[in-house]
Structures are given as C-alpha cells and as structure tokens.
Amino acid sequence: MRVGQGGSGPGAHTPDGSAIEMYEQAEANGEDEFIDKAIDPKSSILELGCGTGRITRPLLARGHQVTAVDESAEMIARIPETETIQATIGELRLERQFDVVLMMSYLINVADDAERLRLLQTCAHHVRPGGSVLIQQQLPSQLAKPIVLEREHSRMEISDVEHLPGNKVAATITHTRNGRTWSQQLLTQNLTEEHLTGQLTEAGLQLAEYLTPDTSWVRARPI
C-alpha cells in the first residue's frame, strides 16, 4: 500500500513515505501472472507508480513492453531494463497511447477525490481506443482492524487503525524484513462501486468488469 502520509526506517524514502530499500527487496507475488492473463501477448504497458520494478521486471520477462513511471528518481534508478519516466502521475501527459495502463498498489484509494480524478484522467489520456486500464483497489477488509501477518523472513503489522467519515481509514503499516524495520502512516479511502464508476465516467472511462470476485482488480475502458 503506497497511499502514504509519512514513513520511517532505514534508507531513503519517497515523498509519500515509501521506503526505497524495503520495496527493492520485495518480489512479485503472482501479480505478473494475473496481469499477463488479463491482457494480450506483447502488450505495450504504461505502469503508473512502478516503484523499484517489482512488477515491471516480471512483465518484461513475459514479453510485454513496459514504460515505467514513478515520481521518485531513486526508485526508477533501480530499473535499468526498460524506459523509465520520473513524473507525478496526475501531471503525466505523454504524446502517445498504450494497449494497457496499469495502476496498482492501491493508488486509486488516495483519500482525495480531486487527486483521484487526476490519476484517472492520466489513465484515460494514455490508453488507446479499445485498450484496458487495470486498477488494483483496496478492499474494506484490508485495513479493518489491527493484524499481524507473518511470512518467511518478513512480518507485516497493521496498527493504529482509525475509521474516519467518508469511508476513510488511517493506519500504520510496519514491515520487518531480515531484521530491518520500516513504518508508514497511511490515509486511504475505500470506494463504493457508485463512487468509483462516477469518477471513472468523469475521467472518460467506464467500468468494463471486475477481474476478481472480491472486486480488488478492475478493468476500465475508454468511453
């Protein structure tokens, strides 16, 4: 989750509080396979909020052409394998379009309608006619309560959960990997289908389908 308000821990951090070292250690967890099945072979992809390339590299390995975008120069410096662009997503306006625009990491759940609309307008601007915008959205259950998730060599703790008006949630996410710990304060907003479809329409997109039964993955298309 990268809808951040601030972060702490070893190494450099991006403006939203994301720890570069932590994301550099993270690996794909099946997302690349899922995306690959949802799009055509050898698609041109504009990946918004690419971070250090956790998903970029596996998509390149699967034969897709990926242009990776992030506001952090330090993040994209870790991705020498493809074209990278340092830019704030809401301000990005390239003079070309792509088969697929990919926006993961719950960026859609930014807790500000105006900023969310700017993100969706960027998606709409860059997707070709007939193309797809793939969006990963946060589910209400993900930040519903404090929890600790243990994996081999890593631990994630959700704490300080506060439910706010307007389906907004504040929380602290603490990651521990190989004895190093990073924390990030989040303010996110869970979206109803009505809210999401309304903003998609305003941006020039329409909800085509949910790609997963839990609605965490959305396909939108240009109107």
Side-chain angles (χ1 to χ4, degrees):
M1 299 179 185
R2 295 183 58 197
V3 189
Q5 298 295 300
S8 62
H13 292 70
T14 65
D16 73 354
S18 298
I20 294 171
E21 181 180 331
M22 186 196 77
Y23 280 98
E24 194 170 18
Q25 295 179 22
E27 298 178 346
N29 191 30
E31 298 95 337
D32 58 307
E33 181 180 5
F34 173 83
I35 294 164
D36 182 63
K37 290 179 179 179
I39 64 178
D40 292 333
K42 298 183 179 179
S43 289
S44 60
I45 302 173
L46 180 67
E47 184 187 4
L48 303 175
C50 63
T52 58
R54 182 178 71 92
I55 303 301
T56 315
R57 292 185 187 87
L59 289 176
L60 288 168
R62 291 179 178 274
H64 301 290
Q65 306 163 46
V66 185
T67 298
V69 178
D70 202 278
E71 68 175 341
S72 169
E74 290 182 273
M75 286 279 200
I76 60 174
R78 271 73 173 175
I79 315 174
E81 299 92 338
T82 193
E83 178 188 9
T84 57
I85 298 172
Q86 182 190 359
T88 301
I89 294 172
E91 297 175 352
L92 181 70
R93 292 294 182 272
L94 303 177
E95 294 183 1
R96 50 187 158 132
Q97 293 182 315
F98 299 79
D99 299 326
V100 177
V101 176
L102 176 63
M103 189 165 69
M104 296 179 55
S105 302
Y106 313 114
L107 295 175
I108 191 68
N109 295 101
V110 62
D112 180 274
D113 282 357
E115 177 61 22
R116 187 180 310 108
L117 179 60
R118 285 191 287 271
L119 301 181
L120 292 173
Q121 288 170 334
T122 294
C123 294
H125 178 85
H126 292 97
V127 65
R128 68 163 177 79
S132 292
V133 176
L134 301 189
I135 299 169
Q136 183 186 30
Q137 68 169 337
Q138 173 183 291
L139 299 176
S141 60
Q142 289 178 264
L143 292 182
K145 60 184 180 180
I147 191 173
V148 174
L149 301 174
E150 300 272 3
R151 289 183 178 177
E152 187 178 6
H153 307 304
S154 69
R155 179 180 189 271
M156 183 181 79
E157 180 181 1
I158 299 174
S159 60
D160 305 323
V161 177
E162 183 179 1
H163 294 273
L164 304 169
N167 291 324
K168 296 178 182 180
V169 183
T172 298
I173 309 292
T174 302
H175 294 272
T176 300
R177 296 177 186 272
N178 301 315
R180 297 167 72 81
T181 298
W182 298 268
S183 288
Q184 186 174 7
Q185 291 75 48
L186 306 177
L187 177 63
T188 69
Q189 184 172 5
N190 295 313
L191 303 176
T192 64
E193 182 172 315
E194 181 181 12
H195 196 168
L196 175 61
T197 55
Q199 286 211 292
L200 285 170
T201 300
E202 191 174 356
L205 298 167
Q206 60 184 343
L207 176 62
E209 62 178 323
Y210 290 111
L211 295 171
T212 52
D214 64 5
T215 74
S216 60
W217 280 91
V218 175
R219 187 198 306 274
R221 295 193 187 277
I223 294 175

